[in-house]
Amino acid sequence: MIKIAMVTGATSGIGEACMRAFLMNNYRVIATGRNGRRLQEFREEFKEDIYTLEFDVRDRKAAETAVASLPEEWRNIDVLVNNAGLALGLEPEYEGDYQDWDTMIDTNIKGLLTMTRLIVPDMVKRNHGHVINIGSVAGDAAYANGNVYCATKAAVKALTDGLRIDVAHSAVRVTLLKPGLVETNFSNVRFHGDDERADNVYKGITPLTGDDIAAAAVYAAEAPEHVQIAEMLILATHQANGSIIVRNS
């Protein structure tokens, strides 16, 4: 039987890798994101195996409208990958940018809550489904100048744990993936397009890739129905935690 996965933030990075990994494992995928051009390219590439929804998870009304527009044959979602998220800035908390704070909180926390609220009730009703939230090692402990981003990922950890408790009476499973250093456009976004500064994040170490995290997501989703992969911390080999990275000189 063909399963359906919905992946938020699917137009780049970990989200795109998850979209492709689920497609390769015989899922049909609902890909959501803000980049309409990329979504159009996905439709041309994957044809009937993909359905795209263009909206920003920060816009609750747009998310509600998009989900309500799904055709009947795309409504029974088996896996929700809450991936949409970002970091902005790397300044001390007392020098942080208000707009950066709002964007991170609205995307990483409120956006995840919105998608959970829209999709999970039907999973509970059907007594079937799996929510995979993309957290971060940054949610385990704050690192220098990570303040608000770390706080949002700590919130993702708490919300994931809370959801797992709330659906424990059902067969709905809930997984938290906590990546460490992953080379995507994450750092480029964090540094507002400063490519040189972004590239320095990955110097001297072989970082994880989006495909590594996507493989973990598929592994959790494909575990036997009685097995719930509650949490997975995924680090590069020379990364010990959110702040200890040993780099080659």
Side-chain angles (χ1 to χ4, degrees):
M1 183 180 70
I2 299 290
K3 296 180 181 180
I4 296 174
M6 172 181 273
V7 181
T8 69
T11 55
S12 64
I14 292 172
E16 181 175 351
C18 285
M19 175 201 72
R20 293 180 180 277
F22 277 100
L23 284 165
M24 288 179 61
N25 282 271
N26 299 315
Y27 284 73
R28 299 175 82 195
V29 174
I30 302 166
T32 87
R34 296 177 298 163
N35 189 329
R37 179 184 60 80
R38 290 293 289 149
L39 293 174
Q40 174 62 33
E41 291 171 357
F42 295 158
R43 289 194 295 272
E44 293 171 359
E45 182 177 359
F46 298 111
K47 310 299 182 186
E48 69 276 2
D49 290 330
I50 196 167
Y51 195 92
T52 63
L53 296 173
E54 183 180 350
F55 66 92
D56 188 331
V57 295
R58 293 178 296 170
D59 186 337
R60 187 169 296 156
K61 288 295 185 184
E64 290 172 347
T65 300
V67 170
S69 74
L70 284 170
E72 188 64 34
E73 63 270 24
W74 287 92
R75 289 184 176 273
N76 289 340
I77 295 167
D78 298 281
V79 179
L80 168 64
V81 181
N82 272 321
N83 163 77
L86 76 168
L88 290 171
L90 196 65
E91 300 85 23
E93 189 170 324
Y94 58 86
E95 295 178 353
D97 182 276
Y98 293 124
Q99 186 172 340
D100 285 352
W101 291 354
D102 287 345
T103 300
M104 286 186 282
I105 291 168
D106 289 347
T107 304
N108 300 357
I109 301 176
K110 291 182 178 180
L112 179 145
L113 280 169
T114 294
M115 297 310 300
T116 300
R117 182 66 180 84
L118 291 174
I119 304 302
V120 174
D122 188 61
M123 290 182 172
V124 173
K125 182 179 179 180
R126 291 185 289 120
N127 198 37
H128 170 79
H130 194 161
V131 179
I132 300 176
N133 289 337
I134 307 299
S136 171
V137 64
D140 287 345
Y143 55 75
N145 300 330
N147 43 78
V148 174
Y149 173 70
C150 294
T152 65
K153 289 304 184 178
V156 170
K157 157 72 173 168
L159 291 170
T160 305
D161 290 346
L163 179 62
R164 192 180 303 111
I165 294 167
D166 291 342
V167 300
H169 67 284
S170 75
V172 177
R173 299 182 293 177
V174 182
T175 297
L176 176 65
L177 299 183
K178 302 189 299 185
L181 198 63
V182 184
E183 187 168 13
T184 63
N185 65 337
F186 175 88
S187 291
N188 186 275
V189 171
R190 163 168 258 174
F191 298 127
H192 299 283
D194 187 333
D195 293 334
E196 182 178 357
R197 193 176 180 193
D199 290 343
N200 285 334
V201 173
Y202 309 108
K203 282 188 176 179
I205 188 172
T206 301
L208 301 168
T209 68
D211 291 339
D212 296 323
I213 310 309
V218 171
Y219 172 79
E222 288 296 285
E225 289 290 329
H226 70 286
V227 176
Q228 180 170 219
I229 309 297
E231 187 169 302
M232 197 183 305
L233 175 64
I234 311 157
L235 302 175
T237 298
H238 296 289
Q239 179 176 15
N241 55 34
S243 57
I244 304 300
I245 300 170
V246 178
R247 302 177 188 272
N248 297 322
S249 56

